[in-house]
Amino acid sequence: MNYMEFTETQKKRLKELGADNYIELSFPNVKERDSKFDQLNTSLERKCKADLLNLFKNVKRPLIKQLESKLIKTLVSVGFVEVTTPYIISKDFIYKMGIVETHNLWRQIFWLDDGRCLRPMLAPNLYHVMKCLRKILKPVRIFEIGPCFRKESMGREHIEGFTMLNIVELAPEKDPFQRLKEIINIVLDAVKLPSYVLNKVEAEVYGETIDILIDQNEIASAAIGPHPLDENWGIFDAWAGVGFGIERIAMVKKGVNRIKQVSRSLTSLDGICLDIQ
Ligand code: ATP
Ligand code: MG
């Protein structure tokens, strides 16, 4: 017997409705397939309506925004200060990160004009702020949480506008790697994800980088200084820094395998399909 799958349109619709588990089903004929699709569509739409009502009545905020609030509160309570820097940065800041025309990351940058782009990361702005603050106090403990932008070929774990949480401590009172591990623990305890793995890798910007993995997924990358890039920014002390992807944390928390199910969207709200009859 010839088995058939859902049509591409049906698969797309099932994905929108958050029913990834069903899209690989196969059927002996068109009638059975379409009947199963109609049945799934109806029950999943009903579930979306219930989930949206629950969002309005109880949950009230998307998971990524809840995580943001939780992390801000926790970091402030342990002595970090939140900073708010511009989304638009200068080409000079990109060069000062050692990112040049031949780098992969260069090709991922959204340029606004010859001299300005949307920030692909928070590090350049934080380097700048750190340099100003180091004259006033030490250690300098700061963090920023907000959108970053990279051209991506998309896929399951990449979006072009994502939320980064970058935390840095300049001139820590102990070994920077020890302090880095403490900071990582503070964040992952706050979001109740205590099991993770640290993995040393070679990365484009910082060279030796420490990736933080949960179930093989990179949720953050970290580095410690002194680092060769520091000179460009007038930084001479040791430091510990880490950048988390909030949507990646949300994916792990929610147990979903597509970042679209937690990211900013016009077709869904907190991962719940908005396009229902
Ligand atoms: P990847 O290897 O997954 O493309 P990366 O190593 O290029 O990520 P980093 O520069 O290390 O990314 O950024 C720090 C964190 O920001 C990553 O660990 C990830 O959690 C998150 N992140 C980076 N790019 C994206 C993206 N396009 N979409 C969602 N999250 C992202
Ligand atoms: Mg990384």
Side-chain angles (χ1 to χ4, degrees):
M1 199 183 294
N2 270 342
Y3 275 85
M4 54 176 56
E5 297 184 344
F6 284 123
T7 65
E8 287 310 310
T9 315
Q10 287 171 333
K11 284 187 184 173
K12 185 165 171 275
R13 179 64 183 153
L14 290 173
K15 271 194 189 174
E16 278 170 9
L17 291 164
D20 292 42
N21 297 346
Y22 294 98
I23 56 178
E24 300 302 335
L25 290 182
S26 58
F27 305 90
N29 54 54
V30 173
K31 190 161 171 254
E32 280 194 36
R33 181 194 67 192
D34 291 353
S35 146
K36 180 69 181 173
F37 174 78
D38 287 344
Q39 180 214 325
L40 279 172
N41 193 44
T42 308
S43 66
L44 290 164
E45 282 201 3
R46 201 175 298 134
K47 179 165 187 316
C48 286
K49 276 183 209 164
D51 288 349
L52 283 172
L53 289 172
N54 184 46
L55 181 73
F56 272 77
K57 194 156 173 258
N58 302 307
V59 184
K60 301 195 198 261
R61 298 185 74 210
L63 179 57
I64 50 171
K65 300 301 287 183
Q66 288 186 42
L67 290 169
E68 241 183 78
S69 299
K70 177 83 200 163
L71 288 165
I72 292 169
K73 204 168 159 214
T74 302
L75 287 165
V76 168
S77 77
V78 296
F80 286 85
V81 166
E82 183 174 10
V83 302
T84 46
T85 69
Y87 300 163
I88 296 174
I89 65 172
S90 72
K91 191 193 239 174
D92 183 45
F93 267 30
I94 298 291
Y95 281 136
K96 280 168 79 176
M97 288 304 294
I99 301 166
V100 294
E101 285 79 346
T102 51
H103 278 107
N104 286 333
L105 193 54
W106 181 278
R107 284 186 280 278
Q108 290 186 273
I109 295 175
F110 284 100
W111 291 103
L112 297 176
D113 55 38
D114 197 32
R116 298 174 315 146
C117 63
L118 295 178
R119 62 185 188 187
M121 51 174 55
L122 301 174
N125 289 355
L126 295 192
Y127 255 131
H128 176 85
V129 172
M130 228 159 51
K131 180 194 169 167
C132 304
L133 292 173
R134 78 182 213 290
K135 297 169 201 152
I136 299 163
L137 81 164
K138 275 184 191 167
V140 179
R141 297 191 178 106
I142 53 172
F143 72 95
E144 176 157 9
I145 189 160
C148 289
F149 305 89
R150 294 182 192 177
K151 292 181 187 169
E152 300 279 2
S153 47
M154 310 308 264
R156 285 193 317 99
E157 352 180 88
H158 290 93
I159 35 179
E160 295 195 315
F162 60 99
T163 317
M164 182 99 85
L165 164 64
N166 209 314
I167 308 161
V168 66
E169 181 163 321
L170 181 71
E173 281 150 352
K174 52 176 79 166
D175 170 61
F177 186 56
Q178 287 308 321
R179 186 59 184 145
L180 179 66
K181 287 194 283 190
E182 285 178 7
I183 296 169
I184 294 167
N185 281 334
I186 290 167
V187 169
L188 294 179
D189 278 351
V191 296
K192 299 197 170 61
L193 289 173
S195 310
Y196 62 88
V197 171
L198 296 183
N199 186 30
K200 275 196 183 150
V201 290
E202 275 300 307
E204 210 165 28
V205 178
Y206 289 105
E208 187 169 286
T209 301
I210 302 142
D211 281 351
I212 294 127
L213 310 176
I214 298 185
D215 301 332
Q216 318 281 342
N217 301 308
E218 177 186 324
I219 58 154
S221 284
I224 50 172
H227 188 279
L229 280 179
D230 297 355
E231 209 184 302
N232 294 347
W233 299 94
I235 294 289
F236 306 100
D237 290 295
W239 54 266
V242 56
F244 287 88
I246 298 299
E247 289 82 4
R248 297 268 179 96
I249 294 179
M251 283 175 79
V252 178
K253 289 288 296 174
K254 223 172 178 173
V256 295
N257 58 11
R258 279 186 300 117
I259 198 162
K260 287 250 168 68
Q261 288 171 275
V262 296
S263 60
R264 286 170 183 269
S265 173
L266 284 174
T267 53
S268 64
L269 181 54
D270 197 24
I272 311 164
C273 183
L274 285 170
D275 179 15
I276 44 183
Q277 298 309 308

